Amino acid sequence: MSLRQLLLRLPRYLGVSGSPRRWWWSPSLDTISSVGSWRGQSSRSPGHWNQVVSEAEKIVGYPTSFMSLRCLLSDELSNIAMQVRKLVGTQHPLLTTARGLVHDSRHNLQLRGLVVLLISKAAGPSSTNTSCQNYDTVSGIYSCQRSLAEITELIHTALLVHRGIVNLNELQSSDGPLKDMQFGNKIAILSGDFLLANACNGLALLQNTKVVELIASALMDLVQGVYHENSTSAKENHITKDIGISTWKKQAFLSHGALLAKSCQAAMELAKHDADVQDVAFQYGKHMAMSHKINSDLQPFIKEKTSDSVAFNLNSAPVVLHQEFLGRDLWIKQIGEAREKGRLDYAKLRETIKAGKGVTSAIDLCRYHGNKALEALESFPPSEARSALENIVFAVTRFS
């Protein structure tokens, strides 16, 4: 079977119904919640995520992919795809991740790479260091900056794959046979490591020590953030951690903000911008990622169509803020009242949280980080790329 045939058949192998997610040459993204601006409005102010991304992709020259095409078309990855097929019928998280890469109806896996390209174009070449003037550019973006965008996507995708490792001590009979879950864990580790290896190889080819240090530190932040997330994760029958919103923000930056923030800073380093411009890019990436994370946490509480049985993260921003307003004792009491026959009734708990201040406070926090991101952009001259970056902020910080 040819690789193209494999890619076309992959949705069926993974049990995906409906039209498959389009690849890099034909982008299409579904909408997220209807969102928009509170502080100001860009000239276009698109209301839907797919429109925001489509317009941004035109500005950077060509559609961004969820990972490097060179990596996607490798023999190793095609073999992994064939192996993942063996997990169909189980509840292994890697299968869900693989389906998301093919048919992504809720999340935008290419956001990080796209932001790196946009901020590279918005900043342009350095006005004080002319050593990059002879570098090749496409649509005002250096080829090394495009490589960095691909590396950022690869690292993020590798993290998603590695998150799909199952704790075999907590398996239930409905999850699938033990040997299949063990096999899925092995594939998740190997495939995630394969993506990270490609990212490291790409970093080396950039031949910039500071960029390597920045991305390496972002990787360390990711590892630390995921570790803290796991150590404070709230299980249905064992809710003991009280992290508070300050701790939540630190953990959210490590696990969700550091990669984008430091990638934006690295893009400025590749264009030989000074420390002030690098810090501006860092601040935009940081606050944009935090705003995006909070928006994601809010979805179970603001979506019009949410299945009552769908679980949500008990350490998400709205829940942590709700608990902080309520107090630890009352929160534990609400958890107890939401239990039925030893199981947590998420529908009941969701309504309880929505009746408190946690959701509105999370929306305010999302907008706060959005405003900080917009403030950072004011340092860049007006341009289409800057407007696209503003529109991305508007798209994740407007709630109706």
Side-chain angles (χ1 to χ4, degrees):
M1 181 187 302
S2 70
L3 185 55
R4 178 173 177 79
Q5 289 174 322
L6 174 63
L7 291 175
L8 293 175
R9 295 186 186 184
L10 191 55
R12 180 156 50 89
Y13 287 163
L14 300 178
V16 175
S17 59
S19 301
R21 181 184 176 200
R22 294 175 183 170
W23 299 95
W24 67 278
W25 54 81
S26 181
S28 176
L29 296 172
D30 293 330
T31 62
I32 58 175
S33 60
S34 178
V35 289
S37 148
W38 68 100
R39 174 189 163 188
Q41 200 79 348
S42 67
S43 59
R44 299 178 186 177
S45 183
H48 295 99
W49 189 249
N50 61 341
Q51 184 180 351
V52 171
V53 174
S54 295
E55 291 183 357
E57 286 179 333
K58 295 174 184 177
I59 293 171
V60 297
Y62 58 76
T64 53
S65 60
F66 69 87
M67 67 171 70
S68 167
L69 182 61
R70 292 185 295 276
C71 176
L72 177 63
L73 296 180
S74 67
D75 292 337
E76 291 91 344
L77 196 62
S78 63
N79 183 54
I80 289 173
M82 294 297 292
Q83 296 298 324
V84 170
R85 180 185 179 186
K86 298 178 182 179
L87 298 176
V88 172
T90 72
Q91 298 298 316
H92 200 286
L94 179 60
L95 191 63
T96 303
T97 302
R99 285 172 177 161
L101 296 176
V102 178
H103 189 267
D104 183 18
S105 61
R106 293 181 299 171
H107 304 290
N108 179 17
L109 296 174
Q110 63 198 52
L111 172 66
R112 288 154 186 81
L114 180 59
V115 168
V116 171
L117 294 178
L118 285 170
I119 206 160
S120 297
K121 182 164 185 174
S126 173
S127 58
T128 58
N129 190 323
T130 60
S131 61
C132 291
Q133 287 184 351
N134 295 327
Y135 289 4
D136 293 334
T137 62
V138 177
S139 297
I141 302 169
Y142 295 121
S143 59
C144 56
Q145 292 174 319
R146 292 189 182 276
S147 296
L148 176 65
E150 292 181 348
I151 291 167
T152 303
E153 290 180 0
L154 279 173
I155 293 173
H156 176 63
T157 306
L159 177 65
L160 293 179
V161 173
H162 275 160
R163 281 175 179 265
I165 298 174
V166 173
N167 186 344
L168 299 177
N169 295 323
E170 298 179 358
L171 286 182
Q172 300 179 0
S173 57
S174 59
D175 292 331
L178 176 60
K179 64 177 183 179
D180 288 344
M181 305 304 282
Q182 291 173 330
F183 176 77
N185 279 358
K186 293 177 182 178
I187 294 297
I189 294 171
L190 291 173
S191 55
D193 287 351
F194 169 75
L195 296 174
L196 285 176
N198 275 268
C200 291
N201 182 60
L203 274 176
L205 293 175
L206 292 178
Q207 298 182 341
N208 187 304
T209 304
K210 184 174 180 180
V211 169
V212 172
E213 291 176 352
L214 283 169
I215 302 303
S217 66
L219 274 170
M220 293 300 296
D221 290 340
L222 282 169
V223 172
Q224 185 180 355
V226 171
Y227 171 80
H228 285 303
E229 278 187 355
N230 292 337
S231 65
T232 59
S233 62
K235 304 295 183 182
E236 287 188 15
N237 298 312
H238 187 65
I239 302 172
T240 59
K241 299 291 184 179
D242 182 7
I243 64 174
I245 193 61
S246 297
T247 302
W248 179 91
K249 287 193 285 187
K250 292 178 182 178
Q251 294 181 7
F253 171 73
L254 291 174
S255 59
H256 294 83
L259 178 60
L260 182 58
K262 294 182 179 181
S263 293
C264 289
Q265 181 181 353
M268 301 299 99
E269 165 63 23
L270 289 172
K272 307 301 182 182
H273 285 288
D274 59 29
D276 290 339
V277 177
Q278 291 185 30
D279 183 64
V280 167
F282 177 92
Q283 293 301 324
Y284 176 83
K286 170 187 174 180
H287 291 290
M288 170 56 218
M290 293 293 290
S291 184
H292 187 268
K293 165 61 176 169
I294 298 169
N295 179 287
S296 177
D297 283 0
L298 279 163
Q299 293 309 303
F301 304 95
I302 63 176
K303 277 186 176 180
E304 294 183 0
K305 296 180 180 180
T306 301
S307 174
D308 290 341
S309 61
V310 172
F312 50 87
N313 191 338
L314 296 179
N315 278 331
S316 62
V319 180
V320 171
L321 285 165
H322 173 78
Q323 177 182 340
E324 199 163 83
F325 280 113
L326 200 64
R328 180 67 175 171
D329 294 338
L330 287 177
W331 168 240
I332 295 298
K333 181 180 179 182
Q334 287 186 348
I335 291 289
E337 292 173 347
R339 291 189 186 281
E340 293 185 4
K341 298 180 180 180
R343 301 289 293 180
L344 191 58
D345 185 343
Y346 281 95
K348 183 176 181 179
L349 186 59
R350 182 184 293 108
E351 294 305 314
T352 300
I353 293 171
K354 289 171 68 175
K357 299 179 179 179
V359 174
T360 55
S361 296
I363 291 175
D364 290 340
L365 184 60
C366 181
R367 290 173 172 170
Y368 165 79
H369 285 290
N371 269 331
K372 298 295 286 186
L374 292 175
E375 288 177 9
L377 289 178
E378 291 175 357
S379 299
F380 294 133
S383 66
E384 282 189 322
R386 173 178 149 174
S387 295
L389 290 168
E390 291 171 345
N391 286 338
I392 289 175
V393 175
F394 295 147
V396 297
T397 50
R398 176 184 175 187
F399 302 87
S400 57

